[in-house]
Amino acid sequence: MSKGTIKKVAGPLVIAKGMRDANMFDVVRVSDRRLIGEIIEIHGDEASIQVYEETSGLAPGAPVESTGEPMSVELGPGLISSIYDGIQRPLDDIMKVAGNNLSRGVEVPSLKRDAKWEFVPAMKAGDEVSGGDIIGTVQESEIVSHKIMVPPGITGTIKEIKGGSYVVTDTVCTVTTKDGKDVPVTLMQKWPVRRGRPYKQKLSPDMPLITGQRVVDTLFPIAKGGVAAVPGPFGSGKTVVQHQLAKWAEADIVVYIGCGERGNEMTDVLNEFPELVDPKTGQSLMKRTVLIANTSDMPVAAREASIYTGITIAEYFRDMGYSVALMADSTSRWAEALREMSGRLEEMPGEEGYPAYLGSRLAQFYERAGRVMTLCSGDREGALSVIGAVSPPGGDISEPVSQATLRIVKVFWSLDSSLAYKRHFPAINWLTSYSNYMDTMQDWFNQNAGEDWIELRNKLMRLLQDESELEEIVQLVGMDALSAPDRLKLEAARSIREDFLHQNAFDDIDTYTSLEKQHDMMQLIIAYYEKAAEALSEGADINTLIDLPVREQIGRFKYTEPEKVKEAFDEVSKQLEQELYDAKQAKEEF
């Protein structure tokens, strides 16, 4: 353990001398107040430390003590429903110790040491085990069964295992390794946050993470284990999109990181998540959620820690075989923290003052996502999908954080403030967004969602792109200058925008749409356009075709209850055929 003294203090950066025996990324305690920090640079016997708490009042000469361990998180029962700060200190326990006014240097364990958990063994003495094997379970919440795993790197035979009621530090199993050592396994394990947890194999991203949001699932799907970025200016609905995905995406566990967001926004999350009802179970959404609340009034350096803390917890649940969705809101605040620390370290700045290594740091974070075969002696699949919000100043995505993120992620949901002002939510712009997972997931969609899924999706996109070109003509010369087929095209595109892409998060039925229903909605809109175009070519009147009563039924189809979808689809299809037939007859009589 290395002990030194403070030489210089510059905001969240403290330089200490006499730290020759310390290692990079060791956790240190600074001054008599025992402020927590992490070594980020070493020159000779001088260590540069980023301090995760307010440093005002620190002076040269104060003691600095290295713990000799890297920044680690505690992984075990008690994570679910917890609300942590950026360095995994439980906020409810801090409040009990420090009251409402958070004092510096508070030390509380991440997992409650007095909570007892009922451990049910899944193995017996004499069984062979290796890292990642599940030796038993703890029912952590009504929804989540917490699987107790052998820590990575341990292989041997179970000498003793016993069920019962334990706290997280109790030994529940003893493993005898090949060289005869007895290794105790507790309900809890520790893991350094900057190191990704190991797995056997990364799998191809060829199946989607179903979200129930039509603009996402149909036009710009994210793969299970994929990465997506949601950039957008203030007020365009980044947080709303992340709430919807947290609630509806096909994920067993949600880890939500509020990284440097405004305090009131994080308060909304803390208030709303416990009240949100998990549609799959009817329980509170918090029963499968871990929240990391790191607001913008916390020291800048803690933002970096919060991102790594969150993804390490997410990897732990992935290793159990769960599908995990990680929401990081927002990585721009983390990049600002990197910029400040880089400036304090007097490094050569890159574009707009951000450090030159900004892109590689973002890549290291996002590459920890993925669908994997987890570490264990059998076959177990887990997935970690990462959705990172980016807050570019003024919504300008040409700035370095957005550009570095776009080079890494495969899905880009571009939020548009003009759509948000029109109250079109989700405000994802269909002309500037994209998903590079479409090619690898084509077969899955055609097999599981409908043989013509990709074909219908491409027709929708073509109509929307044609609409944007026609809109420019309309603005120059007016609607009357358009030909009848072009007017019909505009009407079909309006139907796609207003009836399909616009989704009401507060409507009990419209908030989530199954793939089957999305397929039916696409079919109805494309059937109207193609059959009306055919009728038009046979001489039917364009105004009659635009004003068909069935169009309202197509628009209201999204509010159809799930069990009545098939029946309603057949009805609307018949009505469409009949009205188009009548429109053709009217032309002939005329």
Side-chain angles (χ1 to χ4, degrees), residues 205-258:
D206 52 15
M207 58 192 294
L209 180 74
I210 306 300
T211 64
Q213 311 307 300
R214 294 188 288 270
V215 66
V216 171
D217 290 346
T218 302
L219 299 187
F220 314 111
I222 176 174
K224 207 170 235 188
V227 288
V230 194
F234 173 76
S236 59
K238 291 189 294 291
T239 308
V240 176
V241 165
Q242 291 198 317
H243 283 204
Q244 276 295 88
L245 296 178
K247 187 174 181 183
W248 291 106
E250 272 187 354
D252 306 307
I253 310 285
V254 175
V255 179
Y256 192 100
I257 308 168

CSV table of all heavy atoms in Angstrom, one decimal, residues 205-258:
chain,number,residue,atom,x,y,z
A,205,PRO,N,-24.8,-10.4,-34.9
A,205,PRO,CA,-26.0,-9.7,-34.6
A,205,PRO,C,-27.1,-9.9,-35.6
A,205,PRO,O,-27.5,-9.1,-36.4
A,205,PRO,CB,-25.6,-8.2,-34.6
A,205,PRO,CG,-24.4,-8.2,-35.6
A,205,PRO,CD,-23.8,-9.6,-35.6
A,206,ASP,N,-27.8,-11.1,-35.6
A,206,ASP,CA,-28.7,-11.5,-36.7
A,206,ASP,C,-30.1,-11.6,-36.2
A,206,ASP,O,-31.0,-12.1,-36.9
A,206,ASP,CB,-28.3,-12.7,-37.4
A,206,ASP,CG,-28.0,-13.9,-36.4
A,206,ASP,OD1,-28.4,-13.8,-35.3
A,206,ASP,OD2,-27.4,-14.9,-36.8
A,207,MET,N,-30.4,-11.2,-34.9
A,207,MET,CA,-31.8,-11.2,-34.5
A,207,MET,C,-32.1,-9.8,-33.8
A,207,MET,O,-31.2,-9.3,-33.1
A,207,MET,CB,-32.1,-12.3,-33.5
A,207,MET,CG,-31.3,-12.4,-32.3
A,207,MET,SD,-31.5,-14.0,-31.5
A,207,MET,CE,-33.2,-13.9,-31.0
A,208,PRO,N,-33.3,-9.3,-34.0
A,208,PRO,CA,-33.5,-7.9,-33.5
A,208,PRO,C,-33.9,-7.9,-32.0
A,208,PRO,O,-34.4,-8.9,-31.4
A,208,PRO,CB,-34.7,-7.4,-34.4
A,208,PRO,CG,-35.4,-8.7,-34.7
A,208,PRO,CD,-34.4,-9.8,-34.8
A,209,LEU,N,-33.7,-6.7,-31.4
A,209,LEU,CA,-34.2,-6.4,-30.1
A,209,LEU,C,-35.6,-5.8,-30.3
A,209,LEU,O,-35.7,-4.6,-30.7
A,209,LEU,CB,-33.3,-5.5,-29.3
A,209,LEU,CG,-33.7,-5.1,-27.9
A,209,LEU,CD1,-33.5,-6.2,-26.9
A,209,LEU,CD2,-33.0,-3.8,-27.4
A,210,ILE,N,-36.7,-6.5,-30.1
A,210,ILE,CA,-38.0,-6.0,-30.4
A,210,ILE,C,-38.4,-5.0,-29.4
A,210,ILE,O,-38.3,-5.2,-28.2
A,210,ILE,CB,-39.1,-7.2,-30.4
A,210,ILE,CG1,-38.6,-8.3,-31.4
A,210,ILE,CG2,-40.4,-6.6,-30.8
A,210,ILE,CD1,-38.5,-7.9,-32.8
A,211,THR,N,-38.8,-3.8,-29.8
A,211,THR,CA,-39.1,-2.7,-28.9
A,211,THR,C,-40.6,-2.3,-28.9
A,211,THR,O,-41.0,-1.6,-28.0
A,211,THR,CB,-38.3,-1.4,-29.3
A,211,THR,OG1,-38.7,-1.0,-30.6
A,211,THR,CG2,-36.8,-1.7,-29.3
A,212,GLY,N,-41.3,-2.7,-29.9
A,212,GLY,CA,-42.7,-2.3,-30.0
A,212,GLY,C,-42.9,-0.9,-30.5
A,212,GLY,O,-44.1,-0.4,-30.6
A,213,GLN,N,-41.8,-0.2,-30.8
A,213,GLN,CA,-41.9,1.1,-31.4
A,213,GLN,C,-41.8,1.0,-32.9
A,213,GLN,O,-40.8,0.5,-33.4
A,213,GLN,CB,-40.8,2.0,-30.8
A,213,GLN,CG,-40.7,2.0,-29.3
A,213,GLN,CD,-42.0,2.3,-28.6
A,213,GLN,OE1,-42.6,3.3,-28.8
A,213,GLN,NE2,-42.4,1.3,-27.8
A,214,ARG,N,-42.8,1.4,-33.6
A,214,ARG,CA,-42.9,1.0,-35.0
A,214,ARG,C,-41.7,1.6,-35.9
A,214,ARG,O,-41.2,0.9,-36.7
A,214,ARG,CB,-44.2,1.5,-35.6
A,214,ARG,CG,-45.4,0.8,-35.0
A,214,ARG,CD,-46.7,1.1,-35.7
A,214,ARG,NE,-47.2,2.5,-35.4
A,214,ARG,CZ,-48.0,2.8,-34.4
A,214,ARG,NH1,-48.4,1.8,-33.6
A,214,ARG,NH2,-48.4,4.0,-34.3
A,215,VAL,N,-41.4,2.9,-35.6
A,215,VAL,CA,-40.3,3.5,-36.4
A,215,VAL,C,-39.0,2.8,-36.2
A,215,VAL,O,-38.2,2.7,-37.1
A,215,VAL,CB,-40.2,5.0,-36.1
A,215,VAL,CG1,-39.8,5.3,-34.6
A,215,VAL,CG2,-39.2,5.7,-37.0
A,216,VAL,N,-38.8,2.2,-35.0
A,216,VAL,CA,-37.6,1.5,-34.7
A,216,VAL,C,-37.6,0.1,-35.3
A,216,VAL,O,-36.8,-0.3,-36.1
A,216,VAL,CB,-37.4,1.4,-33.1
A,216,VAL,CG1,-36.2,0.5,-32.8
A,216,VAL,CG2,-37.1,2.8,-32.6
A,217,ASP,N,-38.7,-0.7,-34.9
A,217,ASP,CA,-38.7,-2.1,-35.4
A,217,ASP,C,-38.8,-2.3,-36.9
A,217,ASP,O,-38.2,-3.2,-37.5
A,217,ASP,CB,-39.9,-2.8,-34.7
A,217,ASP,CG,-39.7,-3.0,-33.2
A,217,ASP,OD1,-38.5,-2.9,-32.8
A,217,ASP,OD2,-40.7,-3.3,-32.5
A,218,THR,N,-39.5,-1.4,-37.5
A,218,THR,CA,-39.8,-1.5,-39.0
A,218,THR,C,-38.7,-0.9,-39.8
A,218,THR,O,-38.1,-1.5,-40.7
A,218,THR,CB,-41.1,-0.9,-39.4
A,218,THR,OG1,-42.1,-1.6,-38.6
A,218,THR,CG2,-41.4,-1.1,-40.8
A,219,LEU,N,-38.3,0.4,-39.5
A,219,LEU,CA,-37.4,1.1,-40.3
A,219,LEU,C,-36.0,1.0,-39.9
A,219,LEU,O,-35.1,0.9,-40.7
A,219,LEU,CB,-37.8,2.6,-40.4
A,219,LEU,CG,-39.2,2.9,-41.0
A,219,LEU,CD1,-39.4,4.4,-41.2
A,219,LEU,CD2,-39.5,2.2,-42.3
A,220,PHE,N,-35.7,1.2,-38.6
A,220,PHE,CA,-34.3,1.2,-38.1
A,220,PHE,C,-34.1,0.3,-36.9
A,220,PHE,O,-33.9,0.8,-35.8
A,220,PHE,CB,-33.9,2.7,-37.7
A,220,PHE,CG,-34.4,3.7,-38.8
A,220,PHE,CD1,-35.4,4.6,-38.5
A,220,PHE,CD2,-33.8,3.7,-40.0
A,220,PHE,CE1,-35.8,5.5,-39.5
A,220,PHE,CE2,-34.2,4.6,-41.0
A,220,PHE,CZ,-35.2,5.5,-40.7
A,221,PRO,N,-34.2,-1.0,-37.1
A,221,PRO,CA,-34.1,-1.9,-36.0
A,221,PRO,C,-32.7,-2.0,-35.4
A,221,PRO,O,-31.7,-1.9,-36.1
A,221,PRO,CB,-34.5,-3.3,-36.6
A,221,PRO,CG,-34.2,-3.2,-38.0
A,221,PRO,CD,-34.4,-1.7,-38.4
A,222,ILE,N,-32.7,-2.3,-34.1
A,222,ILE,CA,-31.4,-2.6,-33.4
A,222,ILE,C,-31.3,-4.1,-33.1
A,222,ILE,O,-32.3,-4.7,-32.8
A,222,ILE,CB,-31.3,-1.8,-32.1
A,222,ILE,CG1,-30.0,-2.1,-31.3
A,222,ILE,CG2,-32.5,-1.9,-31.2
A,222,ILE,CD1,-29.7,-1.3,-30.1
A,223,ALA,N,-30.1,-4.6,-33.3
A,223,ALA,CA,-29.9,-6.1,-33.1
A,223,ALA,C,-29.9,-6.3,-31.6
A,223,ALA,O,-29.5,-5.4,-30.8
A,223,ALA,CB,-28.7,-6.6,-33.7
A,224,LYS,N,-30.2,-7.5,-31.2
A,224,LYS,CA,-30.0,-8.0,-29.8
A,224,LYS,C,-28.5,-8.0,-29.5
A,224,LYS,O,-27.8,-8.7,-30.2
A,224,LYS,CB,-30.6,-9.3,-29.6
A,224,LYS,CG,-31.1,-9.6,-28.1
A,224,LYS,CD,-31.9,-10.8,-28.0
A,224,LYS,CE,-33.2,-10.5,-27.4
A,224,LYS,NZ,-34.0,-11.7,-27.1
A,225,GLY,N,-28.0,-7.3,-28.6
A,225,GLY,CA,-26.6,-7.1,-28.4
A,225,GLY,C,-26.0,-6.1,-29.3
A,225,GLY,O,-24.8,-6.0,-29.4
A,226,GLY,N,-26.8,-5.2,-29.8
A,226,GLY,CA,-26.3,-4.2,-30.7
A,226,GLY,C,-26.1,-2.9,-30.0
A,226,GLY,O,-26.4,-2.8,-28.8
A,227,VAL,N,-25.6,-1.9,-30.7
A,227,VAL,CA,-25.4,-0.5,-30.1
A,227,VAL,C,-26.1,0.5,-31.0
A,227,VAL,O,-26.1,0.4,-32.2
A,227,VAL,CB,-23.9,-0.2,-30.0
A,227,VAL,CG1,-23.2,-1.0,-28.9
A,227,VAL,CG2,-23.2,-0.4,-31.3
A,228,ALA,N,-26.7,1.5,-30.3
A,228,ALA,CA,-27.5,2.5,-31.0
A,228,ALA,C,-27.1,3.9,-30.4
A,228,ALA,O,-26.9,3.9,-29.2
A,228,ALA,CB,-29.0,2.3,-31.0
A,229,ALA,N,-27.2,4.9,-31.2
A,229,ALA,CA,-27.0,6.3,-30.6
A,229,ALA,C,-28.2,7.1,-30.9
A,229,ALA,O,-28.9,6.9,-32.0
A,229,ALA,CB,-25.8,6.9,-31.3
A,230,VAL,N,-28.6,7.9,-29.9
A,230,VAL,CA,-29.8,8.7,-30.1
A,230,VAL,C,-29.4,10.2,-29.9
A,230,VAL,O,-29.5,10.7,-28.8
A,230,VAL,CB,-30.9,8.4,-29.0
A,230,VAL,CG1,-32.2,9.0,-29.4
A,230,VAL,CG2,-31.1,6.9,-28.8
A,231,PRO,N,-28.9,10.8,-30.9
A,231,PRO,CA,-28.5,12.2,-30.8
A,231,PRO,C,-29.7,13.1,-31.0
A,231,PRO,O,-30.5,12.8,-31.9
A,231,PRO,CB,-27.4,12.4,-31.8
A,231,PRO,CG,-27.5,11.3,-32.8
A,231,PRO,CD,-28.6,10.3,-32.3
A,232,GLY,N,-29.7,14.2,-30.3
A,232,GLY,CA,-30.8,15.2,-30.6
A,232,GLY,C,-30.7,16.4,-29.7
A,232,GLY,O,-30.1,16.3,-28.6
A,233,PRO,N,-31.2,17.5,-30.1
A,233,PRO,CA,-31.1,18.7,-29.3
A,233,PRO,C,-32.0,18.7,-28.1
A,233,PRO,O,-32.9,17.8,-28.0
A,233,PRO,CB,-31.5,19.8,-30.3
A,233,PRO,CG,-32.4,19.1,-31.3
A,233,PRO,CD,-31.9,17.7,-31.4
A,234,PHE,N,-31.9,19.6,-27.3
A,234,PHE,CA,-32.8,19.7,-26.1
A,234,PHE,C,-34.2,19.7,-26.5
A,234,PHE,O,-34.6,20.4,-27.4
A,234,PHE,CB,-32.4,21.0,-25.3
A,234,PHE,CG,-33.3,21.3,-24.2
A,234,PHE,CD1,-33.2,20.6,-23.0
A,234,PHE,CD2,-34.3,22.3,-24.2
A,234,PHE,CE1,-34.0,20.8,-21.9
A,234,PHE,CE2,-35.2,22.5,-23.2
A,234,PHE,CZ,-35.0,21.8,-22.0
A,235,GLY,N,-35.1,18.9,-25.8
A,235,GLY,CA,-36.5,18.9,-26.0
A,235,GLY,C,-37.0,18.1,-27.2
A,235,GLY,O,-38.1,18.1,-27.5
A,236,SER,N,-36.1,17.3,-27.8
A,236,SER,CA,-36.5,16.5,-28.9
A,236,SER,C,-36.9,15.1,-28.5
A,236,SER,O,-37.3,14.3,-29.4
A,236,SER,CB,-35.4,16.4,-30.0
A,236,SER,OG,-34.2,15.9,-29.4
A,237,GLY,N,-36.8,14.8,-27.2
A,237,GLY,CA,-37.4,13.5,-26.8
A,237,GLY,C,-36.4,12.4,-26.6
A,237,GLY,O,-36.8,11.2,-26.6
A,238,LYS,N,-35.1,12.7,-26.3
A,238,LYS,CA,-34.1,11.6,-26.0
A,238,LYS,C,-34.5,10.7,-24.8
A,238,LYS,O,-34.6,9.5,-24.9
A,238,LYS,CB,-32.7,12.2,-25.8
A,238,LYS,CG,-32.1,12.8,-26.9
A,238,LYS,CD,-30.6,13.2,-26.6
A,238,LYS,CE,-30.5,14.2,-25.6
A,238,LYS,NZ,-31.0,15.6,-26.0
A,239,THR,N,-34.9,11.4,-23.7
A,239,THR,CA,-35.2,10.7,-22.5
A,239,THR,C,-36.5,9.9,-22.7
A,239,THR,O,-36.6,8.8,-22.2
A,239,THR,CB,-35.3,11.7,-21.3
A,239,THR,OG1,-34.1,12.5,-21.3
A,239,THR,CG2,-35.5,11.0,-20.0
A,240,VAL,N,-37.5,10.5,-23.4
A,240,VAL,CA,-38.8,9.8,-23.7
A,240,VAL,C,-38.5,8.5,-24.4
A,240,VAL,O,-39.0,7.5,-24.1
A,240,VAL,CB,-39.7,10.7,-24.5
A,240,VAL,CG1,-41.0,10.0,-24.8
A,240,VAL,CG2,-40.1,12.0,-23.7
A,241,VAL,N,-37.7,8.6,-25.5
A,241,VAL,CA,-37.3,7.4,-26.3
A,241,VAL,C,-36.7,6.3,-25.4
A,241,VAL,O,-37.1,5.2,-25.4
A,241,VAL,CB,-36.4,7.8,-27.4
A,241,VAL,CG1,-35.8,6.5,-28.0
A,241,VAL,CG2,-37.1,8.5,-28.5
A,242,GLN,N,-35.8,6.8,-24.5
A,242,GLN,CA,-35.1,5.8,-23.6
A,242,GLN,C,-36.1,5.2,-22.6
A,242,GLN,O,-36.0,4.0,-22.3
A,242,GLN,CB,-33.9,6.5,-22.9
A,242,GLN,CG,-32.8,6.8,-23.9
A,242,GLN,CD,-31.5,7.0,-23.3
A,242,GLN,OE1,-31.4,7.7,-22.2
A,242,GLN,NE2,-30.4,6.5,-23.8
A,243,HIS,N,-37.0,6.0,-22.1
A,243,HIS,CA,-38.0,5.4,-21.2
A,243,HIS,C,-38.9,4.4,-21.9
A,243,HIS,O,-39.2,3.3,-21.3
A,243,HIS,CB,-38.9,6.6,-20.7
A,243,HIS,CG,-38.3,7.4,-19.6
A,243,HIS,ND1,-39.0,8.1,-18.7
A,243,HIS,CD2,-37.0,7.7,-19.3
A,243,HIS,CE1,-38.2,8.8,-17.9
A,243,HIS,NE2,-37.0,8.5,-18.3
A,244,GLN,N,-39.3,4.7,-23.1
A,244,GLN,CA,-40.1,3.7,-23.9
A,244,GLN,C,-39.4,2.4,-24.1
A,244,GLN,O,-39.9,1.4,-24.0
A,244,GLN,CB,-40.5,4.4,-25.2
A,244,GLN,CG,-41.8,5.2,-25.1
A,244,GLN,CD,-43.0,4.5,-24.8
A,244,GLN,OE1,-43.3,4.3,-23.6
A,244,GLN,NE2,-43.8,4.0,-25.7
A,245,LEU,N,-38.1,2.6,-24.5
A,245,LEU,CA,-37.3,1.4,-24.7
A,245,LEU,C,-37.1,0.6,-23.4
A,245,LEU,O,-37.1,-0.7,-23.4
A,245,LEU,CB,-36.0,1.7,-25.4
A,245,LEU,CG,-36.0,2.4,-26.8
A,245,LEU,CD1,-34.7,2.7,-27.3
A,245,LEU,CD2,-36.7,1.4,-27.8
A,246,ALA,N,-36.8,1.3,-22.3
A,246,ALA,CA,-36.6,0.6,-21.0
A,246,ALA,C,-37.9,-0.2,-20.7
A,246,ALA,O,-37.8,-1.3,-20.1
A,246,ALA,CB,-36.3,1.6,-20.0
A,247,LYS,N,-39.0,0.4,-21.0
A,247,LYS,CA,-40.3,-0.2,-20.6
A,247,LYS,C,-40.7,-1.4,-21.5
A,247,LYS,O,-41.2,-2.4,-21.0
A,247,LYS,CB,-41.4,0.8,-20.6
A,247,LYS,CG,-42.7,0.3,-20.0
A,247,LYS,CD,-43.7,1.5,-20.0
A,247,LYS,CE,-45.1,1.0,-19.4
A,247,LYS,NZ,-46.1,2.0,-19.4
A,248,TRP,N,-40.5,-1.2,-22.8
A,248,TRP,CA,-41.0,-2.2,-23.8
A,248,TRP,C,-40.1,-3.1,-24.4
A,248,TRP,O,-40.5,-4.1,-25.0
A,248,TRP,CB,-41.8,-1.4,-24.8
A,248,TRP,CG,-43.1,-0.8,-24.3
A,248,TRP,CD1,-43.3,0.5,-24.0
A,248,TRP,CD2,-44.3,-1.5,-23.9
A,248,TRP,NE1,-44.5,0.7,-23.5
A,248,TRP,CE2,-45.2,-0.5,-23.4
A,248,TRP,CE3,-44.7,-2.8,-23.9
A,248,TRP,CZ2,-46.4,-0.8,-23.0
A,248,TRP,CZ3,-46.0,-3.1,-23.4
A,248,TRP,CH2,-46.8,-2.1,-23.0
A,249,ALA,N,-38.8,-2.8,-24.5
A,249,ALA,CA,-37.8,-3.6,-25.2
A,249,ALA,C,-37.8,-5.0,-24.6
A,249,ALA,O,-38.0,-5.2,-23.4
A,249,ALA,CB,-36.4,-3.0,-25.2
A,250,GLU,N,-37.4,-6.0,-25.5
A,250,GLU,CA,-37.4,-7.4,-25.0
A,250,GLU,C,-36.1,-7.6,-24.2
A,250,GLU,O,-35.2,-8.3,-24.6
A,250,GLU,CB,-37.4,-8.3,-26.2
A,250,GLU,CG,-38.7,-8.7,-26.7
A,250,GLU,CD,-38.7,-9.8,-27.8
A,250,GLU,OE1,-37.5,-10.1,-28.2
A,250,GLU,OE2,-39.7,-10.2,-28.2
A,251,ALA,N,-36.1,-7.0,-23.0
A,251,ALA,CA,-34.9,-7.1,-22.2
A,251,ALA,C,-35.4,-7.6,-20.8
A,251,ALA,O,-36.4,-7.1,-20.3
A,251,ALA,CB,-34.2,-5.8,-22.0
A,252,ASP,N,-34.6,-8.5,-20.2
A,252,ASP,CA,-35.0,-9.0,-18.8
A,252,ASP,C,-34.5,-8.0,-17.8
A,252,ASP,O,-35.2,-7.8,-16.7
A,252,ASP,CB,-34.2,-10.3,-18.6
A,252,ASP,CG,-34.5,-11.3,-19.7
A,252,ASP,OD1,-35.7,-11.5,-20.0
A,252,ASP,OD2,-33.6,-11.9,-20.3
A,253,ILE,N,-33.4,-7.3,-18.0
A,253,ILE,CA,-32.9,-6.3,-17.0
A,253,ILE,C,-32.6,-5.0,-17.7
A,253,ILE,O,-32.1,-5.0,-18.9
A,253,ILE,CB,-31.5,-6.9,-16.4
A,253,ILE,CG1,-31.6,-8.3,-16.0
A,253,ILE,CG2,-31.0,-6.0,-15.3
A,253,ILE,CD1,-32.4,-8.5,-14.7
A,254,VAL,N,-32.9,-3.9,-17.0
A,254,VAL,CA,-32.6,-2.6,-17.6
A,254,VAL,C,-31.6,-1.9,-16.6
A,254,VAL,O,-31.8,-1.9,-15.4
A,254,VAL,CB,-33.8,-1.7,-17.7
A,254,VAL,CG1,-33.5,-0.3,-18.1
A,254,VAL,CG2,-34.8,-2.4,-18.6
A,255,VAL,N,-30.5,-1.4,-17.2
A,255,VAL,CA,-29.5,-0.6,-16.4
A,255,VAL,C,-29.6,0.8,-17.0
A,255,VAL,O,-29.3,1.0,-18.2
A,255,VAL,CB,-28.1,-1.1,-16.5
A,255,VAL,CG1,-27.1,-0.2,-15.7
A,255,VAL,CG2,-28.0,-2.6,-16.0
A,256,TYR,N,-30.0,1.8,-16.2
A,256,TYR,CA,-30.2,3.2,-16.7
A,256,TYR,C,-29.1,4.1,-16.0
A,256,TYR,O,-29.1,4.2,-14.8
A,256,TYR,CB,-31.6,3.7,-16.3
A,256,TYR,CG,-32.0,4.9,-17.0
A,256,TYR,CD1,-32.8,4.9,-18.2
A,256,TYR,CD2,-31.5,6.2,-16.5
A,256,TYR,CE1,-33.1,6.1,-18.8
A,256,TYR,CE2,-31.9,7.4,-17.2
A,256,TYR,CZ,-32.7,7.3,-18.3
A,256,TYR,OH,-33.0,8.5,-19.0
A,257,ILE,N,-28.2,4.7,-16.8
A,257,ILE,CA,-27.2,5.6,-16.3
A,257,ILE,C,-27.6,7.0,-16.6
A,257,ILE,O,-27.7,7.4,-17.8
A,257,ILE,CB,-25.8,5.3,-16.9
A,257,ILE,CG1,-25.5,3.8,-16.8
A,257,ILE,CG2,-24.7,6.1,-16.3
A,257,ILE,CD1,-24.3,3.4,-17.7
A,258,GLY,N,-27.8,7.8,-15.6
A,258,GLY,CA,-28.0,9.3,-15.8
A,258,GLY,C,-26.6,9.9,-15.6
A,258,GLY,O,-26.1,10.1,-14.5
